[in-house]
Amino acid sequence: MTEIDWLPPTGHQLRKAGVHFDAVRVRGSDGRRLANAMAMLTCGRPGPIIAEANGRAATYFLVEPGSTSGRPWPKGVERLTGESGAIDYVPIPALYGATWPLSWFCAPTPDAQLVHTLLLLSAARAFLGCAPRLAEGMVTEGP
């Protein structure tokens, strides 16, 4: 495998969002359902997805930096970014060895392709069964 510089050689490490990638985090069984959906939609090659096995049981989808902003994500989706001075960190496991409580649901590939943000957004809307959040201050018209 080609070396990917943000992968730790052993264990796991925190990486700052907004540098090599941003992340979309979904907690609990919804995150696993979304990861399964992404794997099905991409014939098993959705891009890097991390599964967390501790109490939060979060799933992290690694996407291009800046690609999640300005989009109405469903309730329950958290964006980890480096935008607007935010400092968010994403836990990254090594490819092999002891990495508990983190593991790769789908490991990064040699081409270092990340999860496709628009496909993830569409799948999140469909598989989480949630309507998009409305932007603050947005006015909607009734029927």
Side-chain angles (χ1 to χ4, degrees):
M1 174 165 192
T2 303
E3 189 172 319
I4 299 174
D5 62 353
W6 48 263
L7 281 171
T10 61
H12 50 80
Q13 295 179 348
L14 295 176
R15 298 288 188 233
K16 189 174 179 183
V19 178
H20 300 287
F21 49 78
D22 282 350
V24 170
R25 177 172 57 200
V26 181
R27 298 180 192 270
S29 62
D30 284 345
R32 300 304 191 270
R33 286 179 45 221
L34 183 55
N36 282 322
M38 288 295 293
M40 287 188 320
L41 291 168
T42 60
C43 297
R45 294 183 50 92
I49 302 173
I50 300 164
E52 188 176 50
N54 66 3
R56 294 184 297 179
T59 304
Y60 297 83
F61 302 83
L62 305 185
V63 298
E64 290 290 331
S67 66
T68 64
S69 64
R71 303 181 193 286
W73 289 89
K75 183 178 178 184
V77 172
E78 300 171 76
R79 298 180 316 111
L80 303 174
T81 69
E83 60 190 33
S84 300
I87 300 177
D88 291 319
Y89 291 93
V90 181
I92 304 293
L95 285 178
Y96 309 103
T99 62
W100 192 89
L102 303 172
S103 63
W104 287 103
F105 184 90
C106 290
T109 56
D111 61 7
Q113 180 178 340
L114 297 172
V115 173
H116 190 282
T117 305
L118 293 180
L119 181 59
L120 178 61
L121 176 59
S122 294
R125 289 178 181 169
F127 287 91
L128 296 180
C130 300
R133 289 186 301 224
L134 295 176
E136 201 171 306
M138 181 181 242
V139 177
T140 60
E141 295 182 23

